[in-house]
Amino acid sequence: MSGTLDWTPWMKKRRARVLSALSAVLLCCLQSGATVNDEVPVFTEEPLSVVQKLGGRVVLRCSTQPPSANISWRLNGSELVAGAVGDMGVVLEPGTLLIPALTNLTLGRYQCVASTNAGALASVPANVTAAKLRDFEQDNQQDIEVDEGNTAVIVCHLPESQPKAQVRYSVKQEWLETSKGNYLIMPSGNLQIANATLDDEGPYKCAAYNPVTQEVKTSTSTDRLRIRRSTSEAAHIIYPPVSRSIMVTKGQRLVLECVASGIPTPQVTWAKDGQDLRFHNNTRFLLSNLLIDSAGEGDSGTYACHADNGIGSESAATVLYDVLVFEPPQVTVELQQQEVMWGESVRFSCQARGKPTPSVIWLHNARPLAMSPRHRLSARVLRVINVGPQDDGLYQCMAENGVGSSQAAARLVTLPTSNPSPREQAPVKPGATGSVLTLDCSELTGQISVAEAPVILSQPRTVKADFYDLTWKPRHDGGSAVVEYIVKYRKIEDPPGEWTSSSISGSLHKLTLAKLQPASLYEVEMSAKNCAGLGQPAMMTFRTGKGGQNEPPKTPAVPSPRLSPPEAPDKPTISTATETSAYVTWIPRGNRGFPIQSFQVEFKKLKGKGGGEWEVAVTNIPPQRLSVEITGLEKGMSYKFRVLAVNVIGASPPSVPSKAYTVLGGGRPNERPVDGPYITYNEAINETTIILKWTYTAVNNTPVYGFYIFYRPTDSDNDSDYKKDVVEGDRYWHSISDLQPETAYDIKMQSFNEGGESEFGNVVILETKARLNQRPFPSETSSQRPEHSGGPVPRPSDLPYLIVGVVLGALVFIIVAFIPFCLWRAWAKEKEMSDLCFPAVASPVSSCQYTMVPLQGLALVGHCPLDPHLPPPHAVYAPIGLYTSNGKHHHPTHCLPGLHQVRLSSVPIGNLSSPSSCLVHLTDKPLLGAYQFWAHCFS
């Protein structure tokens, strides 16, 4: 129709412009997305370890850059699939793993894995652990005595707890959770009472509180504090009772306790490695305790606490702390060449620092790498040989040391081989002038494989001090001529040095290794390369000469090979394959001129003392395989493995046995051992060393990783005095050293595994031998001289015998001294009574004989001979002047109390012509119905 506009051309143009714009935007977005997806992922937040009670809620978080990276999770190395985690009670959300109610099935090691087109990266592991609080061990009541005005220490042996339990104390019917007044609760759990007085006497009890489970458990015993008052006492350290070792993580607070007692109150000083700490900027003091707010690497060392109050020996009041500051790992990974052509080799280096030395594992795209013909692993170096497109991605070095974990990564990009480089251009093969060898196997017919290892002909020893002539001959080339030989050599030392590499034309069969060190041991690896890649290496070791020796006569260029089997492979490593199988991986050593034809793996069951016999597990393992799976292992059983290398001459000596490997599943997960080991033999070797032997029988095939040995002096009642030695593996003997001479020790043992410790086995008591007396040299300083010179050092266990000896000696001395004293007193008493009753007279006086006088006035019978030559008369005197109770005829005199006297006057005695008198002394009390008397006669 006329006048009507035709919109069709305009609409088509408009639609074309819109589609063009949309295409441009879409292409831009796709390119942007491709760029983002090709980025290497970097963790901005990694999951953290958690301790939670069973039934509690756990949240693990993980985030990366770029945010578009795919996030997945692993539990104990197995990937958590979104469809299956619901049955386990795990909820996966973007960047988060949620466990609504923690169970035994959801305990373990979790890792977050971030993936992009560049590869996959694994986070450091996060351990999810169940909280627990065990009971206090049975303990006896302790009576603690301290001098008034000094600091008292109440020691609390907290039970095992996850996380660490918090301590509480019952003080005067009140529970203390934090320090208050003069009561100071230390990080160790001990209670220190400053300036103790009589008001602080009484019972003290400690309790443990788990902040996660909110459980509270109370100790089984109550300690009682007693305050004593002394006039003077030498300074002595009451805590710690003996020197000890302390481990602290870098950045944490370090508290070293030292409590001394004495009258007057001792002064406490601290020193580190002999240097006074009073003016050290990094240290503070709380009472007599040393505090370091943030421990660093420089704080490791030996700390000495010294107490002195001017009384006694100074050396007796010193205690030492050996402090070791642990550091989490720090990891860096270096890759010199990020883009590598197919068929070449690449080398990664890992620098892992930390204390203790961290263990290292290598991962490729978040999967652990194992030793193989193409992968050579060590704690510091990863070598990938004959790389291909399957080797693209991210390589991680992950380090752990019990304090923490760390990881670092590097990216490897492999490129297809294009035109051969000048180095790869094959040389002209002798006898085939003009023919060029190529690295492209597609041009060759038949089955092509890598070339076999060459046969090394050189002797393992040379008199040359600084160079070595390496000679060889080729073996089967695998259907393609050898293009070149790769020779590597290095000095065998600890730690191993770097390899020196050389590339030799495939037409040559001799190489001089120069710039060597005299009298040194070297190892050599040599491989042949053809179009199929680099073959299995031949290995040998040689030793250089000392130098200055006369050279022997020249030998032919190709000496006859030494007929000997290969060297023993390195100690194998074991990793879990399935519930009943394990991977055994090893590194071969030198083949001594003849290529290794096969390997053989042997195993031994560890049960009882010494275990079983070695048995063959797998034989005729091809030389290119350096790892094998051992199947049919018994659940709960522990094994050791070793490897032998075989060539045409014979089998090598067996390698060093591997560490003990326990097949899980024999008992319940994480089940601790039941019974402890039984000590069957103990002997004191010398004054400071004891040797033990024991047996152990597993219950229900529960695996055991080793044994704990606890020992302390017998006269100690404090469990904190126990020292602990650890014996790992299946060794059933141990020597304890650095003991005190002539001292009895309590010794007991436990077995342990990842589930915990067993009960204690039997307890033995053994005394070390006595030390021979030695006089100190005059050059020794006073601080080096023993406290008791001239005799053996007294021990605390001798104190009861010393007290008994002193008491018995004092009694004997008193008895011996008392006998002559009694005799002298008896003589003096008799003389005193005589002098008191009768004054001295001019004429001699002689004592009369005495007899018994009856009560009824019987006659006194006696005689008073004044002349010893006259015979005594036997006359009966008249009862004149008898003593009566009413005082008749009584002549009172001043005599000793309890005595009476009677005067017998005008009594004819003997042939005396003049009247004579006798005084008769009688006792108040009758003796057997008669009175005892004696008389003095005078004229």
Side-chain angles (χ1 to χ4, degrees):
M1 188 174 65
S2 61
T4 303
L5 294 177
D6 186 4
W7 295 93
T8 303
W10 181 84
M11 291 293 295
K12 289 182 178 179
K13 293 180 181 179
R14 181 67 179 268
R15 185 173 57 184
R17 285 196 296 267
V18 171
L19 291 176
S20 177
L22 289 175
S23 299
V25 172
L26 180 61
L27 179 61
C28 179
C29 292
L30 290 174
Q31 289 177 348
S32 176
T35 303
V36 170
N37 284 337
D38 200 44
E39 290 185 30
V40 175
V42 177
F43 288 106
T44 57
E45 182 180 11
E46 295 183 78
L48 302 176
S49 296
V50 176
V51 179
Q52 180 60 283
K53 64 181 178 181
L54 294 177
R57 187 172 184 267
V58 175
V59 178
L60 301 179
R61 304 184 187 278
C62 179
S63 60
T64 63
Q65 286 291 340
S68 59
N70 181 47
I71 301 294
S72 61
W73 293 86
R74 291 177 184 166
L75 171 58
N76 297 329
S78 301
E79 187 169 355
L80 295 176
V81 182
V85 294
D87 297 336
M88 294 179 55
V90 176
V91 178
L92 298 182
E93 300 175 355
T96 303
L97 183 146
L98 171 63
I99 306 175
L102 186 65
T103 65
N104 287 325
L105 292 177
T106 51
L107 298 175
R109 288 164 60 94
Y110 288 81
Q111 281 181 292
C112 166
V113 179
S115 304
T116 65
N117 291 338
L121 207 62
S123 70
V124 295
N127 295 313
V128 177
T129 310
K132 62 180 179 180
L133 177 62
R134 292 191 175 179
D135 295 330
F136 278 86
E137 295 184 358
Q138 293 293 330
D139 197 3
N140 296 325
Q141 176 178 320
Q142 302 291 327
D143 288 333
I144 303 167
E145 292 188 351
V146 68
D147 295 313
E148 187 174 15
N150 285 263
T151 300
V153 179
I154 310 296
V155 178
C156 182
H157 303 290
L158 290 172
E160 181 182 348
S161 176
Q162 282 285 357
K164 183 180 178 181
Q166 300 173 4
V167 67
R168 298 176 176 180
Y169 276 93
S170 172
V171 179
K172 299 178 181 177
Q173 308 301 322
E174 177 186 358
W175 283 100
L176 289 182
E177 298 181 10
T178 58
S179 300
K180 179 180 178 182
N182 65 328
Y183 297 102
L184 183 64
I185 297 180
M186 305 300 294
S188 64
N190 296 338
L191 175 66
Q192 293 190 10
I193 305 173
N195 193 23
T197 64
L198 292 175
D199 293 338
D200 298 314
E201 281 192 336
Y204 290 83
K205 198 178 190 70
C206 72
Y209 170 72
N210 188 305
V212 175
T213 64
Q214 298 184 353
E215 292 178 278
V216 177
K217 294 191 176 180
T218 309
S219 61
T220 58
S221 63
T222 301
D223 295 337
R224 183 167 293 276
L225 177 64
R226 303 182 188 279
I227 306 299
R228 64 190 175 202
R229 292 178 174 176
S230 304
T231 55
S232 67
E233 183 180 14
H236 60 282
I237 294 176
I238 59 177
Y239 188 86
V242 294
S243 299
R244 56 182 52 190
S245 298
I246 296 291
M247 279 78 71
V248 64
T249 303
K250 183 177 179 180
Q252 291 184 347
R253 169 179 285 190
L254 173 62
V255 179
L256 302 181
E257 297 182 52
C258 183
V259 179
S261 181
I263 299 295
T265 302
Q267 180 183 4
V268 174
T269 57
W270 285 89
K272 176 181 179 288
D273 298 328
Q275 301 295 322
D276 196 335
L277 291 178
R278 280 178 291 185
F279 309 106
H280 198 274
N281 294 331
N282 192 32
T283 58
R284 295 190 296 118
F285 299 95
L286 178 61
L287 298 180
S288 56
N289 309 292
L290 176 68
L291 277 73
I292 298 177
D293 290 322
S294 180
E297 183 179 0
D299 294 318
S300 295
T302 301
Y303 292 76
C305 171
H306 176 70
D308 182 24
N309 65 351
I311 300 176
S313 172
E314 295 184 0
S315 62
T318 300
V319 70
L320 303 178
Y321 279 98
D322 286 327
V323 175
L324 185 61
V325 179
F326 285 167
E327 299 181 57
Q330 296 180 353
V331 180
T332 57
V333 171
E334 295 181 1
L335 174 61
Q336 295 180 350
Q337 188 177 1
Q338 291 186 346
E339 296 184 355
V340 180
M341 306 296 292
W342 292 352
E344 293 186 348
S345 298
V346 66
R347 178 180 182 274
F348 298 86
S349 62
C350 175
Q351 296 291 334
R353 299 178 299 275
K355 187 179 292 186
T357 302
S359 60
V360 172
I361 62 172
W362 288 93
L363 299 95
H364 176 218
N365 289 331
R367 294 290 179 183
L369 284 175
M371 185 71 69
S372 71
R374 295 182 54 251
H375 297 91
R376 305 291 175 84
L377 307 177
S378 71
R380 300 174 60 185
V381 175
L382 165 65
R383 285 182 57 86
V384 183
I385 302 172
N386 192 19
V387 300
Q390 71 276 11
D391 297 314
D392 275 5
L394 301 177
Y395 288 80
Q396 275 181 280
C397 173
M398 187 167 293
E400 292 185 77
N401 66 350
V403 181
S405 305
S406 182
Q407 56 88 19
R411 182 182 182 185
L412 175 66
V413 178
T414 63
L415 302 175
T417 305
S418 57
N419 294 330
S421 63
R423 185 180 63 83
E424 293 172 331
Q425 193 68 36
V428 177
K429 187 174 182 179
T433 305
S435 63
V436 177
L437 300 179
T438 177
L439 289 177
D440 189 2
C441 293
S442 62
E443 300 178 4
L444 303 175
T445 59
Q447 185 176 0
I448 308 300
S449 62
V450 295
E452 295 184 6
V455 178
I456 299 177
L457 304 175
S458 303
Q459 297 290 335
R461 184 179 294 274
T462 177
V463 296
K464 303 297 184 180
D466 57 351
F467 70 92
Y468 179 75
D469 289 328
L470 179 67
T471 58
W472 66 89
K473 68 178 182 179
R475 294 184 70 203
H476 188 266
D477 58 11
S480 174
V482 175
V483 176
E484 62 180 350
Y485 292 102
I486 307 298
V487 179
K488 301 187 306 177
Y489 63 95
R490 67 179 176 182
K491 183 180 177 181
I492 298 178
E493 55 187 351
D494 188 18
E498 297 293 332
W499 289 100
T500 301
S501 301
S502 298
S503 177
I504 308 299
S505 170
S507 62
L508 301 178
H509 301 97
K510 181 180 178 179
L511 176 66
T512 299
L513 310 181
K515 297 181 180 180
L516 306 180
Q517 297 182 13
S520 300
L521 189 64
Y522 286 82
E523 60 179 335
V524 177
E525 290 188 7
M526 183 178 181
S527 304
K529 183 178 182 181
N530 62 6
C531 69
L534 204 61
Q536 177 76 15
M539 291 165 283
M540 72 163 298
T541 57
F542 68 88
R543 185 177 295 277
T544 54
K546 296 182 179 179
Q549 301 180 7
N550 295 327
E551 295 186 12
K554 291 186 178 180
T555 58
V558 182
S560 59
R562 182 181 178 185
L563 302 179
S564 58
E567 297 180 20
D570 283 347
K571 178 180 179 180
T573 57
I574 315 300
S575 58
T576 301
T578 66
E579 290 185 355
T580 58
S581 65
Y583 289 115
V584 179
T585 305
W586 63 92
I587 299 176
R589 305 290 292 181
N591 58 18
R592 291 180 175 163
F594 291 90
I596 296 174
Q597 295 180 334
S598 64
F599 292 101
Q600 176 176 305
V601 176
E602 299 178 346
F603 71 93
K604 180 175 71 170
K605 295 181 179 180
L606 304 180
K607 53 182 181 180
K609 185 176 181 181
E613 299 295 331
W614 287 101
E615 303 178 34
V616 176
V618 182
T619 187
N620 294 325
I621 303 172
Q624 64 270 19
R625 290 184 58 188
L626 300 180
S627 181
V628 68
E629 182 179 2
I630 309 298
T631 59
L633 304 179
E634 300 178 21
K635 292 185 178 181
M637 180 61 69
S638 296
Y639 294 85
K640 278 193 174 184
F641 299 90
R642 66 184 186 185
V643 184
L644 295 83
V646 182
N647 64 7
V648 294
I649 305 302
S652 71
S655 68
V656 176
S658 68
K659 291 184 178 180
Y661 174 79
T662 303
V663 183
L664 300 179
R668 293 184 297 275
N670 297 329
E671 183 180 15
R672 69 184 183 93
V674 178
D675 295 334
Y678 185 84
I679 302 174
T680 59
Y681 172 81
N682 56 85
E683 181 183 357
I685 302 302
N686 52 41
E687 65 270 15
T688 61
T689 306
I690 288 174
I691 189 170
L692 302 175
K693 295 181 181 179
W694 62 88
T695 59
Y696 176 76
T697 303
V699 178
N700 298 327
N701 286 330
T702 303
V704 170
Y705 296 166
F707 305 97
Y708 293 141
I709 302 176
F710 298 86
Y711 56 95
R712 71 174 180 187
T714 302
D715 55 8
S716 173
D717 294 329
N718 195 343
D719 285 345
S720 64
D721 291 346
Y722 273 113
K723 294 184 178 180
K724 181 172 73 172
D725 288 359
V726 181
V727 180
E728 295 183 349
D730 61 338
R731 185 154 59 94
Y732 290 85
W733 66 270
H734 181 69
S735 61
I736 306 174
S737 56
D738 298 330
L739 303 177
Q740 295 296 323
E742 203 175 357
T743 303
Y745 284 85
D746 293 346
I747 306 172
K748 58 184 179 180
M749 294 182 61
Q750 286 178 315
S751 54
F752 70 89
N753 61 13
E754 63 181 3
E757 302 83 23
S758 70
E759 301 296 332
F760 286 105
N762 61 323
V763 180
V764 299
I765 299 177
L766 183 62
E767 184 172 346
T768 54
K769 293 185 178 180
R771 175 179 293 170
L772 297 177
N773 294 332
Q774 296 179 352
R775 293 183 177 273
F777 294 101
S779 61
E780 289 181 336
T781 62
S782 60
S783 62
Q784 295 172 327
R785 290 173 185 158
E787 183 181 354
H788 302 271
S789 59
V793 179
R795 301 170 296 134
S797 58
D798 292 336
L799 186 59
Y801 303 102
L802 182 63
I803 295 174
V804 173
V806 170
V807 172
L808 292 179
L811 290 176
V812 172
F813 176 79
I814 292 173
I815 293 174
V816 171
F818 191 72
I819 291 175
F821 177 75
C822 292
L823 296 176
W824 176 81
R825 283 295 303 270
W827 174 81
K829 185 175 182 180
E830 180 179 353
K831 185 175 184 302
E832 181 184 5
M833 287 188 294
S834 299
D835 295 340
L836 187 61
C837 294
F838 307 104
V841 293
S843 59
V845 178
S846 63
S847 296
C848 300
Q849 294 181 358
Y850 66 89
T851 183
M852 298 298 178
V853 181
L855 290 174
Q856 287 79 16
L858 298 180
L860 295 173
V861 181
H863 58 273
C864 299
L866 297 178
D867 189 350
H869 299 287
L870 296 176
H874 299 280
V876 178
Y877 307 124
I880 302 173
L882 288 176
Y883 175 81
T884 59
S885 59
N886 59 8
K888 186 178 181 180
H889 303 298
H890 178 247
H891 302 276
T893 59
H894 297 285
C895 290
L896 292 176
L899 293 176
H900 308 281
Q901 62 181 357
V902 176
R903 179 177 299 274
L904 305 179
S905 55
S906 302
V907 179
I909 301 176
N911 57 357
L912 292 177
S913 58
S914 60
S916 64
S917 300
C918 290
L919 284 178
V920 182
H921 300 270
L922 297 96
T923 61
D924 271 344
K925 298 180 180 179
L927 180 63
L928 298 178
Y931 282 95
Q932 186 179 19
F933 73 93
W934 66 89
H936 289 277
C937 302
F938 51 89
S939 31

